[in-house]
PDB file of all heavy atoms in Angstrom:
ATOM      1  N   MET A   1       0.848  -1.160   0.002  1.00  0.00           N
ATOM      2  CA  MET A   1      -0.003  -0.006   0.004  1.00  0.00           C
ATOM      3  C   MET A   1       0.877   1.244   0.000  1.00  0.00           C
ATOM      4  O   MET A   1       1.855   1.287   0.726  1.00  0.00           O
ATOM      5  CB  MET A   1      -0.881   0.064   1.219  1.00  0.00           C
ATOM      6  CG  MET A   1      -2.005  -0.929   1.224  1.00  0.00           C
ATOM      7  SD  MET A   1      -3.065  -0.477   2.586  1.00  0.00           S
ATOM      8  CE  MET A   1      -4.444  -1.390   2.164  1.00  0.00           C
ATOM      9  N   THR A   2       0.424   2.226  -0.694  1.00  0.00           N
ATOM     10  CA  THR A   2       1.224   3.459  -0.736  1.00  0.00           C
ATOM     11  C   THR A   2       0.663   4.386   0.338  1.00  0.00           C
ATOM     12  O   THR A   2      -0.439   4.193   0.859  1.00  0.00           O
ATOM     13  CB  THR A   2       1.090   4.138  -2.119  1.00  0.00           C
ATOM     14  OG1 THR A   2      -0.269   4.493  -2.290  1.00  0.00           O
ATOM     15  CG2 THR A   2       1.553   3.201  -3.222  1.00  0.00           C
ATOM     16  N   SER A   3       1.451   5.403   0.620  1.00  0.00           N
ATOM     17  CA  SER A   3       1.010   6.343   1.632  1.00  0.00           C
ATOM     18  C   SER A   3      -0.218   7.131   1.169  1.00  0.00           C
ATOM     19  O   SER A   3      -0.986   7.591   1.956  1.00  0.00           O
ATOM     20  CB  SER A   3       2.160   7.307   1.978  1.00  0.00           C
ATOM     21  OG  SER A   3       2.502   8.054   0.830  1.00  0.00           O
ATOM     22  N   ARG A   4      -0.399   7.254  -0.123  1.00  0.00           N
ATOM     23  CA  ARG A   4      -1.549   7.948  -0.642  1.00  0.00           C
ATOM     24  C   ARG A   4      -2.835   7.165  -0.380  1.00  0.00           C
ATOM     25  O   ARG A   4      -3.881   7.732  -0.119  1.00  0.00           O
ATOM     26  CB  ARG A   4      -1.397   8.184  -2.151  1.00  0.00           C
ATOM     27  CG  ARG A   4      -2.440   8.989  -2.773  1.00  0.00           C
ATOM     28  CD  ARG A   4      -1.858   9.734  -3.963  1.00  0.00           C
ATOM     29  NE  ARG A   4      -2.822  10.563  -4.606  1.00  0.00           N
ATOM     30  CZ  ARG A   4      -3.092  11.819  -4.236  1.00  0.00           C
ATOM     31  NH1 ARG A   4      -2.476  12.332  -3.209  1.00  0.00           N
ATOM     32  NH2 ARG A   4      -3.985  12.525  -4.883  1.00  0.00           N
ATOM     33  N   GLN A   5      -2.801   5.829  -0.377  1.00  0.00           N
ATOM     34  CA  GLN A   5      -3.968   5.016  -0.103  1.00  0.00           C
ATOM     35  C   GLN A   5      -4.350   5.018   1.362  1.00  0.00           C
ATOM     36  O   GLN A   5      -5.499   4.901   1.713  1.00  0.00           O
ATOM     37  CB  GLN A   5      -3.713   3.575  -0.560  1.00  0.00           C
ATOM     38  CG  GLN A   5      -3.598   3.448  -2.043  1.00  0.00           C
ATOM     39  CD  GLN A   5      -3.186   2.049  -2.480  1.00  0.00           C
ATOM     40  OE1 GLN A   5      -2.612   1.343  -1.673  1.00  0.00           O
ATOM     41  NE2 GLN A   5      -3.453   1.713  -3.715  1.00  0.00           N
ATOM     42  N   LEU A   6      -3.358   5.174   2.273  1.00  0.00           N
ATOM     43  CA  LEU A   6      -3.627   5.150   3.689  1.00  0.00           C
ATOM     44  C   LEU A   6      -4.120   6.510   4.234  1.00  0.00           C
ATOM     45  O   LEU A   6      -4.670   6.607   5.273  1.00  0.00           O
ATOM     46  CB  LEU A   6      -2.396   4.743   4.467  1.00  0.00           C
ATOM     47  CG  LEU A   6      -1.959   3.294   4.228  1.00  0.00           C
ATOM     48  CD1 LEU A   6      -0.631   3.042   4.940  1.00  0.00           C
ATOM     49  CD2 LEU A   6      -3.001   2.320   4.702  1.00  0.00           C
ATOM     50  N   ARG A   7      -3.870   7.587   3.482  1.00  0.00           N
ATOM     51  CA  ARG A   7      -4.216   8.921   3.942  1.00  0.00           C
ATOM     52  C   ARG A   7      -5.716   9.117   3.879  1.00  0.00           C
ATOM     53  O   ARG A   7      -6.360   8.793   2.876  1.00  0.00           O
ATOM     54  CB  ARG A   7      -3.506   9.972   3.070  1.00  0.00           C
ATOM     55  CG  ARG A   7      -3.799  11.388   3.503  1.00  0.00           C
ATOM     56  CD  ARG A   7      -3.067  12.406   2.686  1.00  0.00           C
ATOM     57  NE  ARG A   7      -3.174  12.241   1.240  1.00  0.00           N
ATOM     58  CZ  ARG A   7      -4.207  12.740   0.512  1.00  0.00           C
ATOM     59  NH1 ARG A   7      -5.153  13.415   1.127  1.00  0.00           N
ATOM     60  NH2 ARG A   7      -4.253  12.579  -0.773  1.00  0.00           N
ATOM     61  N   PRO A   8      -6.340   9.625   4.939  1.00  0.00           N
ATOM     62  CA  PRO A   8      -7.769   9.899   4.891  1.00  0.00           C
ATOM     63  C   PRO A   8      -8.089  10.926   3.821  1.00  0.00           C
ATOM     64  O   PRO A   8      -7.373  11.885   3.626  1.00  0.00           O
ATOM     65  CB  PRO A   8      -8.103  10.469   6.255  1.00  0.00           C
ATOM     66  CG  PRO A   8      -6.961  10.091   7.140  1.00  0.00           C
ATOM     67  CD  PRO A   8      -5.770   9.922   6.243  1.00  0.00           C
ATOM     68  N   SER A   9      -9.180  10.731   3.098  1.00  0.00           N
ATOM     69  CA  SER A   9      -9.485  11.531   1.930  1.00  0.00           C
ATOM     70  C   SER A   9     -10.108  12.880   2.317  1.00  0.00           C
ATOM     71  O   SER A   9     -10.046  13.819   1.493  1.00  0.00           O
ATOM     72  CB  SER A   9     -10.419  10.772   0.998  1.00  0.00           C
ATOM     73  OG  SER A   9     -11.607  10.507   1.708  1.00  0.00           O
ATOM     74  N   SER A  27      -2.074   3.869  12.112  1.00  0.00           N
ATOM     75  CA  SER A  27      -2.249   4.802  10.999  1.00  0.00           C
ATOM     76  C   SER A  27      -0.981   5.674  10.904  1.00  0.00           C
ATOM     77  O   SER A  27      -0.580   6.271  11.867  1.00  0.00           O
ATOM     78  CB  SER A  27      -3.444   5.695  11.249  1.00  0.00           C
ATOM     79  OG  SER A  27      -3.529   6.673  10.252  1.00  0.00           O
ATOM     80  N   PRO A  28      -0.383   5.769   9.705  1.00  0.00           N
ATOM     81  CA  PRO A  28       0.851   6.542   9.588  1.00  0.00           C
ATOM     82  C   PRO A  28       0.621   8.036   9.524  1.00  0.00           C
ATOM     83  O   PRO A  28       1.548   8.794   9.509  1.00  0.00           O
ATOM     84  CB  PRO A  28       1.458   6.004   8.293  1.00  0.00           C
ATOM     85  CG  PRO A  28       0.296   5.587   7.497  1.00  0.00           C
ATOM     86  CD  PRO A  28      -0.710   5.070   8.464  1.00  0.00           C
ATOM     87  N   TRP A  29      -0.617   8.437   9.449  1.00  0.00           N
ATOM     88  CA  TRP A  29      -0.919   9.859   9.269  1.00  0.00           C
ATOM     89  C   TRP A  29      -1.515  10.409  10.545  1.00  0.00           C
ATOM     90  O   TRP A  29      -2.396   9.784  11.170  1.00  0.00           O
ATOM     91  CB  TRP A  29      -1.849  10.114   8.111  1.00  0.00           C
ATOM     92  CG  TRP A  29      -1.261   9.640   6.818  1.00  0.00           C
ATOM     93  CD1 TRP A  29      -1.535   8.471   6.205  1.00  0.00           C
ATOM     94  CD2 TRP A  29      -0.290  10.291   6.047  1.00  0.00           C
ATOM     95  NE1 TRP A  29      -0.793   8.337   5.048  1.00  0.00           N
ATOM     96  CE2 TRP A  29      -0.022   9.489   4.918  1.00  0.00           C
ATOM     97  CE3 TRP A  29       0.397  11.482   6.175  1.00  0.00           C
ATOM     98  CZ2 TRP A  29       0.870   9.795   3.953  1.00  0.00           C
ATOM     99  CZ3 TRP A  29       1.293  11.833   5.174  1.00  0.00           C
ATOM    100  CH2 TRP A  29       1.522  10.995   4.110  1.00  0.00           C
TER     101      TRP A  29
END
Side-chain angles (χ1 to χ4, degrees):
M1 288 189 164
T2 65
S3 63
R4 186 152 181 85
Q5 292 173 338
L6 293 174
R7 181 176 52 84
S9 61
S27 173
W29 299 100

